[in-house]
C-alpha cells in the first residue's frame, strides 16, 4: 500500500542482503549508517536526544528510543537474520565488530531498512525473497506537502486543504509508535521549530532512499559535516561508547549547485557552466 511507483516484481532476490548484511550473516556490510543519523532519532516520547526532557541515556543509548531506530538500523546488541542473531559491533567483537574485517562496519552500525530478515545468505542454505524497487512512495508525498504547507501557512494552517503540516507529522509519528505529542505541540507554536522537525522526520523516514544529500543542498544546509561512528568497548563489564570520526567531508559552497554536463555546454556557446565548475579539457 505504501508504494505508488515501483519496478517489476523480483521473486528471487537476495543481492541487497548479500551486499549489506553483517559478515556473520554472510553479507558484505557495505552500507554503514552514521552516528549522525542515529542521533537524529528522538527518544520514545518524541523529544530530541539533546533535549533535557528526553529519556536518552548515554550509558544505554539504544533504549527508550523512537521505534524506527530498531527497524532501520542494526546497532550493537540488535538482532537480525533468519535466526534472529544478536549482532555485536564492538571493536573486540567477532567478524561484525568495527574494523574487524574488510566487510565489517566502519561506523559501528549496519543498515537494516530495505533488507528482508527472512533472506538467508548462507551459501549452504540460501533462500531468496520477493523484492520491489520502490521509486516513489506514499509517505514521501506527505512529507513534501508538510514542508510546503509549513512554509506557506505555518504549522497548523492548511490553505484550502483538509490537513496541515502538523497533522501530517502527527500521523507519521503516531504510525511509528511515538504517540506523545508534547514536543510536536510545542513545535506547532513556532514555524522555525516545525521546519526543523519536518526536516528531521524526512531524514528518518527517507533514510537510505537516496534523498538526504539533495535535501541538504536545496536547503543550503551544511554539507561539510564529518561522518561519525561509535567505538564500543567494555570496562569492568560495563559498555563504554566513544564517538569517533570516520571520515571528513570536504565540499565547497559552489557544490550546492551541480555542474552542467559538458556535452550540453558544447551544444551552444551561450550556455555557461555553473560557477565553480570547470570544463574538462582533453589533449588529443
Amino acid at each position: 500500500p505504501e508504494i505508488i511507483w515501483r519496478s517489476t516484481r523480483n521473486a528471487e532476490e537476495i543481492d541487497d542482503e548479500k551486499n549489506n548484511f553483517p559478515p556473520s550473516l554472510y553479507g558484505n556490510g557495505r552500507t554503514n549508517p552514521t552516528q549522525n543519523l542515529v542521533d537524529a532519532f528522538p527518544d520514545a516520547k518524541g523529544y530530541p536526544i539533546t533535549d533535557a526532557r528526553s529519556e536518552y541515556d548515554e550509558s544505554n543509548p539504544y533504549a527508550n528510543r523512537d521505534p524506527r531506530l530498531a527497524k532501520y538500523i542494526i546497532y550493537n546488541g540488535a538482532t537480525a537474520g533468519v535466526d534472529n542473531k544478536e549482532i555485536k559491533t564492538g571493536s573486540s567483537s567477532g567478524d561484525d565488530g568495527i574494523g574487524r574485517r574488510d566487510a565489517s562496519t566502519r561506523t559501528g552500525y549496519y543498515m537494516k531498512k530495505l533488507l528482508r530478515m527472512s533472506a538467508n545468505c548462507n551459501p549452504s542454505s540460501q533462500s531468496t525473497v520477493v523484492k520491489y524497487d520502490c521509486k516513489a512512495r506514499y509517505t514521501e508525498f506527505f512529507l513534501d506537502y508538510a514542508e510546503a504547507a509549513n512554509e506557506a501557512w505555518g504549522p497548523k494552517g492548511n490553505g484550502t486543504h483538509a490537513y496541515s503540516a502538523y497533522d501530517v507529522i502527527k500521523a507519521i509519528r503516531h504510525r511509528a509508535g511515538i504517540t506523545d505529542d508534547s514536543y510536536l505541540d510545542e513545535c506547532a507554536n513556532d514555524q522555525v521549530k516545525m521546519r526543523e522537525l519536518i526536516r528531521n522526520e524526512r531524514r528518518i523516514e527517507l533514510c537510505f532512499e537516496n534523498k538526504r544529500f539533495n535535501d541538504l543542498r536545496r536547503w543550503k544546509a551544511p554539507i561539510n559535516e564529518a561522518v561519525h561512528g561509535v567505538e564500543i568497548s567494555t570496562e569492568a563489564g560495563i559498555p563504554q561508547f566513544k564517538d569517533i570520526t570516520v571520515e571528513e567531508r570536504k565540499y565547497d559552497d559552489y557544490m550546492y549547485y551541480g555542474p552542467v554536463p559538458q556535452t550540453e555546454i558544447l551544444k551552444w556557446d551561450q550556455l555557461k557552466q555553473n560557477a565553480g565548475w570547470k570544463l574538462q579539457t582533453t589533449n588529443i
Side-chain angles (χ1 to χ4, degrees):
E2 179 74 7
I3 296 174
I4 293 175
W5 179 30
R6 63 167 174 82
S7 66
T8 55
R9 179 178 184 272
N10 298 312
E12 297 184 2
E13 182 61 59
I14 200 171
D15 288 347
D16 289 341
E17 288 72 22
K18 283 183 177 179
N19 284 331
N20 295 295
F21 269 167
S24 68
L25 298 180
Y26 301 91
N28 290 313
R30 287 181 177 169
T31 303
N32 301 158
T34 64
Q35 186 65 50
N36 316 57
L37 173 60
V38 171
D39 289 345
F41 288 82
D43 79 339
K45 293 184 176 180
Y47 287 98
I49 64 170
T50 54
D51 193 298
R53 295 164 294 182
S54 167
E55 295 181 348
Y56 175 70
D57 181 358
E58 290 184 353
S59 64
N60 192 13
Y62 312 122
N64 298 317
R65 298 290 293 274
D66 181 332
R68 289 172 291 188
L69 178 61
K71 293 180 179 180
Y72 294 173
I73 293 174
I74 298 173
Y75 47 79
N76 187 63
T79 58
V82 290
D83 297 323
N84 215 29
K85 175 183 171 61
E86 183 177 3
I87 307 299
K88 295 289 188 179
T89 65
S91 55
S92 60
S93 301
D95 290 342
D96 297 333
I98 189 168
R100 297 285 289 180
R101 287 179 48 185
D102 289 343
S104 301
T105 178
R106 297 174 62 204
T107 63
Y109 301 101
Y110 294 94
M111 182 178 76
K112 189 172 188 179
K113 185 182 177 184
L114 307 181
L115 307 182
R116 297 287 300 276
M117 294 300 109
S118 57
N120 190 345
C121 298
N122 186 337
S124 64
S125 56
Q126 183 172 295
S127 62
T128 59
V129 293
V130 173
K131 277 288 185 73
Y132 299 93
D133 180 15
C134 179
K135 300 183 182 299
R137 68 184 182 92
Y138 195 65
T139 302
E140 181 183 350
F141 284 81
F142 277 101
L143 285 164
D144 293 345
Y145 173 85
E147 187 177 339
N150 184 60
E151 298 302 320
W153 309 304
K156 287 195 171 182
N158 58 10
T160 59
H161 304 285
Y163 40 84
S164 64
Y166 171 89
D167 295 327
V168 169
I169 299 304
K170 181 177 181 178
I172 290 173
R173 281 160 72 95
H174 279 215
R175 182 182 67 177
I178 299 175
T179 56
D180 187 323
D181 296 326
S182 300
Y183 185 71
L184 175 62
D185 290 341
E186 182 179 307
C187 293
N189 296 317
D190 186 326
Q191 186 184 44
V192 174
K193 289 189 72 171
M194 179 60 82
R195 179 185 301 132
E196 292 306 310
L197 180 60
I198 292 169
R199 291 181 179 185
N200 197 64
E201 283 295 316
R202 185 176 179 89
R203 180 181 193 176
I204 293 170
E205 276 287 322
L206 303 181
C207 64
F208 312 119
E209 295 183 37
N210 216 20
K211 308 292 182 184
R212 178 67 176 170
F213 183 53
N214 285 329
D215 279 347
L216 291 174
R217 290 168 69 193
R218 69 184 178 85
W219 293 330
K220 291 295 184 68
I223 52 178
N224 280 316
E225 185 176 311
V227 174
H228 288 267
V230 62
E231 179 92 37
I232 304 172
S233 58
T234 303
E235 295 181 14
I238 301 173
Q240 306 291 319
F241 301 87
K242 177 185 176 183
D243 181 87
I244 59 172
T245 299
V246 177
E247 184 179 295
E248 297 288 350
R249 292 285 169 85
K250 177 68 172 72
Y251 291 102
D252 293 318
D253 285 347
Y254 73 86
M255 294 178 182
Y256 281 112
Y257 299 93
V260 179
Q262 187 172 351
T263 52
E264 299 304 309
I265 296 287
L266 294 174
K267 291 177 181 177
W268 188 38
D269 61 6
Q270 297 302 303
L271 186 59
K272 304 300 181 184
Q273 182 58 269
N274 280 339
W277 297 99
K278 298 178 181 178
L279 289 176
Q280 181 180 355
T281 57
T282 303
N283 294 324
I284 301 176

